[in-house]
Amino acid sequence: MTAKIISGVDTAKAIRAELKQEIAELKEKHNVVPGLVTILVGADPASQSYVTAKEKTSKELGIYSERLDIPAETTEAELLALVDKCNKNDKINGILVQLPLPKHINEAKILYAIDPTKDVDGFHPVNVGKMILGEQCFLPCTPHGILEMLVRNDIKTSGAEVVILGRSNIVGKPMANLMLQKRPGGNATVTLCHTRTKDTVFHTKRADILIAAVGVPKMVTADMVKDGVVIIDVGVNRIGKTADGKAILAGDVDFDAVKEKASYITPVPGGVGPMTITMLMKNTVQAAKQAAGIL
Ligand code: NAP
């Protein structure tokens, strides 16, 4: 069996077209323009490229975008003051503080300072709590994007054995939670593996859907999965550079070998990545509608 490739680029394109239409209608009918601010502390090259991509996508869709690049030496108090200013700015519906932050800044303190109604990353405890309860909230973008990919590609999750590798707050834990919910893309039986899991391969071998989010290049090999598995590869690992200095990326899955056993697989790049940014845009539109009382 050779797997069908689930293109995040194509799925994202479809959602972005829907969003573009919705944003145009919001402006026309309600004079509402969704606004997103991205705050980048320091000059980490990977973070810079993520922020640039978010800014570019915002502009393409008609979202008002502000980019605040501030020095790595910025103090925690200064960053908190900036977040507070954005909380009070009516033009801004979504606030994204690009992670990771420099070590002298307490990440949780900054994320908790963001107004939950502008927390388009879905990292504030209010939104995390609502997600767990299955209430309307901002869902974290990467797991939300994966859910959309599964749903839009008609991959059955109800009753499926889903194994997730990685238990981070931004991918593994919320992913597990969303797949448990009684909603489309949910109703699965979920197993979460991490570095203390006794026998990871025992779990991966029985997965109907395997989601890898570990940050270990090509960790999932063909002998770790069963025939027909659906593979979602979240990993983005920089494994070298091309002659012209561009990063060579690899996922957490040995794509070439595993695609011969899987029924569906996401590539890296072009899989989960484009969906993450798209869901950020979706959340920003949702925030603008909520602020305008349209939802
Ligand atoms: P993270 O915070 O570093 O967490 C990694 C998780 O993987 C941890 O829970 C760790 O277990 C687990 N782990 C590591 N090695 C393992 C092993 N050998 N077996 C089982 N579990 C193992 O990473 P993250 O932020 O979730 O990101 C994971 C990957 O996804 C990275 O490559 C990141 O760049 C990528 N990512 C991509 C997107 C996107 O939009 N495409 C978004 C976010 C992240 P412990 O908890 O026990 O340490």
Side-chain angles (χ1 to χ4, degrees):
M1 175 184 291
T2 296
K4 182 168 182 259
I5 310 291
I6 306 176
S7 167
V9 175
D10 290 349
T11 314
K13 211 170 161 183
I15 300 172
R16 287 179 195 190
E18 293 163 14
L19 284 174
K20 202 169 176 173
Q21 171 83 16
E22 195 177 356
I23 291 164
E25 280 175 19
L26 275 176
K27 170 114 178 82
E28 205 178 292
K29 291 188 190 155
H30 304 278
N31 201 24
V32 167
V33 178
L36 175 69
V37 63
T38 48
I39 303 176
L40 174 63
V41 188
D44 172 63
S47 294
Q48 274 178 334
S49 76
Y50 292 141
V51 168
T52 301
K54 288 164 188 171
E55 199 187 14
K56 184 169 165 267
T57 311
S58 300
K59 287 185 178 151
E60 279 167 9
L61 297 186
I63 290 175
Y64 167 74
S65 144
E66 273 186 35
R67 174 173 173 166
L68 304 175
D69 285 18
I70 56 175
E73 305 74 46
T74 302
T75 65
E76 189 177 279
E78 285 167 337
L79 184 55
L80 282 170
L82 189 59
V83 168
D84 188 47
K85 212 169 147 193
C86 296
N87 281 340
K88 291 174 178 147
N89 182 346
D90 289 341
K91 276 173 97 174
I92 298 299
N93 303 109
I95 301 171
L96 181 133
V97 178
Q98 184 63 44
L99 302 180
L101 290 170
K103 293 217 164 18
H104 65 277
I105 298 178
N106 182 334
E107 221 161 77
K109 213 166 169 183
I110 301 301
L111 296 180
Y112 294 6
I114 296 173
D115 179 342
T117 66
K118 296 191 178 190
D119 169 40
V120 285
D121 247 342
F123 293 160
H124 192 285
V126 166
N127 285 311
V128 176
K130 286 186 174 178
M131 174 190 70
I132 290 168
L133 296 171
E135 286 181 23
Q136 157 100 350
C137 64
F138 297 115
L139 297 177
C141 301
T142 301
H144 191 190
I146 294 170
L147 217 64
E148 282 285 332
M149 279 175 122
L150 294 170
V151 171
R152 287 178 185 244
N153 286 281
D154 287 326
I155 291 165
K156 187 172 170 270
T157 57
S158 182
E161 291 290 339
V162 172
V163 176
I164 300 169
L165 303 180
R167 58 173 164 183
S168 72
N169 287 339
I170 62 167
V171 188
K173 278 190 218 163
M175 190 76 245
N177 210 279
L178 289 174
M179 299 213 66
L180 291 172
Q181 299 287 338
K182 289 186 182 177
R183 53 169 273 179
N187 290 310
T189 303
V190 181
T191 304
L192 199 55
C193 298
H194 45 78
T195 56
R196 307 293 172 93
T197 300
K198 272 194 201 148
D199 187 352
T200 300
V201 177
F202 165 80
H203 297 290
T204 58
K205 272 189 167 164
R206 55 176 194 77
D208 299 318
I209 300 174
L210 178 63
I211 302 176
V214 283
V216 180
K218 302 185 187 185
M219 186 190 116
V220 176
T221 50
D223 57 337
M224 289 171 68
V225 300
K226 71 176 184 187
D227 283 326
V229 64
V230 173
I231 298 279
I232 304 291
D233 189 353
V234 187
V236 180
N237 306 291
R238 287 170 167 74
I239 57 167
K241 278 190 178 170
T242 59
D244 56 352
K246 286 199 180 120
I248 301 172
L249 301 181
D252 290 343
V253 176
D254 181 0
F255 181 85
D256 290 333
V258 173
K259 80 173 186 333
E260 298 306 323
K261 276 180 104 175
S263 56
Y264 289 87
I265 191 166
T266 61
V268 177
V272 174
M275 290 301 292
T276 297
I277 297 182
T278 303
M279 301 327 280
L280 176 71
M281 302 299 134
K282 199 173 169 71
N283 280 351
T284 304
V285 173
Q286 183 188 327
K289 285 164 77 177
Q290 279 171 201
I294 296 166
L295 275 184

Short mmCIF file of all heavy atoms in Angstrom, two decimals, residues 50 142 165-168 170-172 193-196 200 213-216 219 234-237 252 272-273 276, ligand 1:
data_model
loop_
_atom_site.label_atom_id
_atom_site.label_comp_id
_atom_site.label_asym_id
_atom_site.label_seq_id
_atom_site.Cartn_x
_atom_site.Cartn_y
_atom_site.Cartn_z
N TYR A 50 8.47 32.25 11.39
CA TYR A 50 7.07 31.96 11.75
C TYR A 50 6.25 33.25 11.78
O TYR A 50 5.14 33.32 11.25
CB TYR A 50 6.97 31.27 13.12
CG TYR A 50 7.55 29.86 13.16
CD1 TYR A 50 8.27 29.42 14.26
CD2 TYR A 50 7.37 28.97 12.10
CE1 TYR A 50 8.80 28.13 14.30
CE2 TYR A 50 7.91 27.70 12.14
CZ TYR A 50 8.62 27.28 13.23
OH TYR A 50 9.15 26.02 13.28
N THR A 142 -2.32 24.22 16.44
CA THR A 142 -1.79 23.00 15.80
C THR A 142 -2.76 21.82 15.95
O THR A 142 -3.15 21.21 14.94
CB THR A 142 -0.38 22.68 16.34
OG1 THR A 142 0.46 23.80 16.07
CG2 THR A 142 0.21 21.45 15.68
N LEU A 165 2.31 10.68 20.16
CA LEU A 165 3.66 10.68 20.74
C LEU A 165 4.00 12.12 21.12
O LEU A 165 4.05 12.99 20.24
CB LEU A 165 4.68 10.15 19.73
CG LEU A 165 4.43 8.74 19.17
CD1 LEU A 165 5.53 8.36 18.17
CD2 LEU A 165 4.36 7.72 20.29
N GLY A 166 4.20 12.37 22.40
CA GLY A 166 4.51 13.73 22.88
C GLY A 166 3.38 14.27 23.72
O GLY A 166 2.20 14.12 23.36
N ARG A 167 3.73 14.90 24.85
CA ARG A 167 2.71 15.41 25.78
C ARG A 167 2.91 16.89 26.09
O ARG A 167 2.72 17.34 27.23
CB ARG A 167 2.75 14.60 27.08
CG ARG A 167 4.10 14.62 27.76
CD ARG A 167 4.09 13.97 29.12
NE ARG A 167 5.44 13.68 29.57
CZ ARG A 167 5.74 13.06 30.70
NH1 ARG A 167 4.78 12.65 31.50
NH2 ARG A 167 6.99 12.83 31.04
N SER A 168 3.35 17.66 25.09
CA SER A 168 3.55 19.09 25.34
C SER A 168 2.20 19.79 25.52
O SER A 168 1.16 19.28 25.09
CB SER A 168 4.32 19.75 24.19
OG SER A 168 3.49 19.85 23.07
N ILE A 170 1.34 22.44 24.03
CA ILE A 170 0.84 23.07 22.79
C ILE A 170 0.39 22.05 21.75
O ILE A 170 -0.39 22.37 20.87
CB ILE A 170 1.84 24.07 22.19
CG1 ILE A 170 3.15 23.39 21.79
CG2 ILE A 170 2.13 25.22 23.12
CD1 ILE A 170 4.01 24.28 20.90
N VAL A 171 0.88 20.82 21.83
CA VAL A 171 0.46 19.82 20.84
C VAL A 171 -0.15 18.58 21.51
O VAL A 171 -1.36 18.34 21.43
CB VAL A 171 1.61 19.39 19.89
CG1 VAL A 171 1.05 18.52 18.76
CG2 VAL A 171 2.36 20.57 19.30
N GLY A 172 0.68 17.78 22.15
CA GLY A 172 0.23 16.45 22.63
C GLY A 172 -0.99 16.47 23.53
O GLY A 172 -2.00 15.82 23.25
N CYS A 193 1.83 8.91 24.59
CA CYS A 193 3.15 8.38 24.95
C CYS A 193 4.15 9.51 25.14
O CYS A 193 4.02 10.57 24.53
CB CYS A 193 3.68 7.46 23.86
SG CYS A 193 2.66 6.02 23.55
N HIS A 194 5.15 9.26 25.99
CA HIS A 194 6.20 10.26 26.27
C HIS A 194 7.47 9.51 26.63
O HIS A 194 7.53 8.27 26.48
CB HIS A 194 5.71 11.19 27.39
CG HIS A 194 5.08 10.46 28.52
ND1 HIS A 194 5.81 9.81 29.48
CD2 HIS A 194 3.76 10.21 28.81
CE1 HIS A 194 4.98 9.22 30.33
NE2 HIS A 194 3.73 9.44 29.94
N THR A 195 8.46 10.23 27.14
CA THR A 195 9.76 9.56 27.36
C THR A 195 9.72 8.52 28.49
O THR A 195 10.61 7.69 28.60
CB THR A 195 10.87 10.59 27.69
OG1 THR A 195 10.44 11.36 28.82
CG2 THR A 195 11.16 11.49 26.52
N ARG A 196 8.69 8.55 29.33
CA ARG A 196 8.61 7.55 30.41
C ARG A 196 7.71 6.37 30.03
O ARG A 196 7.48 5.48 30.85
CB ARG A 196 8.08 8.18 31.70
CG ARG A 196 8.84 9.41 32.16
CD ARG A 196 10.26 9.05 32.58
NE ARG A 196 11.04 10.26 32.84
CZ ARG A 196 11.16 10.84 34.03
NH1 ARG A 196 10.57 10.31 35.06
NH2 ARG A 196 11.88 11.93 34.17
N THR A 200 6.83 2.07 23.90
CA THR A 200 6.16 2.95 22.93
C THR A 200 5.74 2.15 21.69
O THR A 200 4.64 2.35 21.15
CB THR A 200 7.12 4.10 22.54
OG1 THR A 200 7.42 4.82 23.73
CG2 THR A 200 6.49 5.05 21.54
N ALA A 213 4.53 13.97 17.65
CA ALA A 213 4.92 15.35 18.02
C ALA A 213 5.99 15.28 19.09
O ALA A 213 5.78 15.62 20.24
CB ALA A 213 3.70 16.14 18.51
N VAL A 214 7.16 14.80 18.68
CA VAL A 214 8.25 14.59 19.64
C VAL A 214 9.46 15.48 19.39
O VAL A 214 10.24 15.76 20.29
CB VAL A 214 8.72 13.11 19.64
CG1 VAL A 214 7.76 12.23 20.39
CG2 VAL A 214 8.95 12.58 18.24
N GLY A 215 9.65 15.91 18.15
CA GLY A 215 10.85 16.71 17.83
C GLY A 215 12.09 15.85 17.70
O GLY A 215 13.20 16.30 17.96
N VAL A 216 11.90 14.59 17.29
CA VAL A 216 13.04 13.67 17.04
C VAL A 216 12.96 13.25 15.57
O VAL A 216 12.02 12.54 15.19
CB VAL A 216 12.96 12.42 17.96
CG1 VAL A 216 14.15 11.50 17.69
CG2 VAL A 216 12.88 12.81 19.42
N MET A 219 11.85 9.53 13.90
CA MET A 219 11.80 8.55 14.98
C MET A 219 10.85 7.39 14.67
O MET A 219 11.10 6.24 15.03
CB MET A 219 11.34 9.23 16.28
CG MET A 219 11.38 8.32 17.48
SD MET A 219 10.59 9.05 18.91
CE MET A 219 9.23 7.94 19.16
N VAL A 234 3.76 15.87 13.04
CA VAL A 234 3.80 17.26 13.49
C VAL A 234 5.23 17.81 13.51
O VAL A 234 5.47 19.00 13.40
CB VAL A 234 3.17 17.40 14.90
CG1 VAL A 234 3.04 18.86 15.31
CG2 VAL A 234 1.79 16.74 14.95
N GLY A 235 6.20 16.92 13.61
CA GLY A 235 7.59 17.34 13.82
C GLY A 235 8.13 18.26 12.75
O GLY A 235 7.86 18.08 11.56
N VAL A 236 8.87 19.25 13.19
CA VAL A 236 9.61 20.11 12.26
C VAL A 236 11.04 20.14 12.80
O VAL A 236 11.32 20.81 13.79
CB VAL A 236 9.05 21.55 12.21
CG1 VAL A 236 9.86 22.39 11.23
CG2 VAL A 236 7.59 21.54 11.79
N ASN A 237 11.91 19.38 12.17
CA ASN A 237 13.29 19.28 12.64
C ASN A 237 14.24 19.79 11.56
O ASN A 237 14.15 19.37 10.41
CB ASN A 237 13.61 17.81 12.97
CG ASN A 237 12.62 17.20 13.94
OD1 ASN A 237 12.58 17.57 15.10
ND2 ASN A 237 11.77 16.28 13.46
N ASP A 252 8.98 13.91 12.26
CA ASP A 252 9.27 12.90 13.28
C ASP A 252 9.09 11.50 12.73
O ASP A 252 9.26 10.51 13.45
CB ASP A 252 8.33 13.10 14.49
CG ASP A 252 8.65 14.37 15.27
OD1 ASP A 252 9.76 14.91 15.09
OD2 ASP A 252 7.80 14.80 16.06
N VAL A 272 1.22 19.63 8.49
CA VAL A 272 0.58 20.30 9.62
C VAL A 272 0.89 21.81 9.66
O VAL A 272 0.04 22.62 10.03
CB VAL A 272 1.00 19.61 10.95
CG1 VAL A 272 0.47 20.36 12.15
CG2 VAL A 272 0.53 18.15 10.95
N GLY A 273 2.11 22.17 9.26
CA GLY A 273 2.57 23.57 9.37
C GLY A 273 1.60 24.59 8.79
O GLY A 273 1.18 25.51 9.50
N THR A 276 -1.51 25.14 10.91
CA THR A 276 -1.37 25.85 12.19
C THR A 276 -1.62 27.34 11.98
O THR A 276 -2.39 27.97 12.72
CB THR A 276 0.05 25.60 12.76
OG1 THR A 276 0.18 24.21 13.03
CG2 THR A 276 0.29 26.38 14.03
P1 NAP B 1 8.24 19.47 23.13
O1 NAP B 1 7.61 20.49 23.99
O2 NAP B 1 9.73 19.41 23.02
O3 NAP B 1 7.70 18.05 23.59
C1 NAP B 1 8.17 16.88 23.04
C2 NAP B 1 7.41 15.73 23.62
O4 NAP B 1 7.88 14.52 23.02
C3 NAP B 1 7.62 15.56 25.14
O5 NAP B 1 6.39 15.26 25.74
C4 NAP B 1 8.57 14.38 25.25
O6 NAP B 1 8.36 13.58 26.39
C5 NAP B 1 8.19 13.56 24.01
N1 NAP B 1 9.29 12.74 23.53
C6 NAP B 1 10.53 13.13 23.16
N2 NAP B 1 11.26 12.08 22.77
C7 NAP B 1 10.45 10.99 22.85
C8 NAP B 1 10.63 9.61 22.60
N3 NAP B 1 11.78 9.13 22.15
N4 NAP B 1 9.56 8.79 22.81
C9 NAP B 1 8.37 9.26 23.27
N5 NAP B 1 8.16 10.57 23.52
C10 NAP B 1 9.19 11.42 23.34
O7 NAP B 1 7.74 19.56 21.64
P2 NAP B 1 6.46 20.24 20.93
O8 NAP B 1 6.49 21.68 21.15
O9 NAP B 1 5.23 19.47 21.24
O10 NAP B 1 6.84 19.96 19.42
C11 NAP B 1 7.07 18.66 18.92
C12 NAP B 1 7.51 18.77 17.47
O11 NAP B 1 6.47 19.35 16.73
C13 NAP B 1 8.73 19.67 17.24
O12 NAP B 1 9.46 19.16 16.15
C14 NAP B 1 8.12 20.99 16.86
O13 NAP B 1 8.97 21.78 16.05
C15 NAP B 1 6.93 20.53 16.08
N6 NAP B 1 5.82 21.50 16.05
C16 NAP B 1 5.29 21.76 14.83
C17 NAP B 1 4.22 22.62 14.72
C18 NAP B 1 3.63 22.88 13.38
O14 NAP B 1 2.83 23.78 13.24
N7 NAP B 1 3.98 22.11 12.36
C19 NAP B 1 3.68 23.22 15.86
C20 NAP B 1 4.23 22.91 17.10
C21 NAP B 1 5.29 22.02 17.18
P3 NAP B 1 8.58 14.13 27.90
O15 NAP B 1 7.39 14.99 28.20
O16 NAP B 1 8.63 12.92 28.73
O17 NAP B 1 9.87 14.91 27.86
#
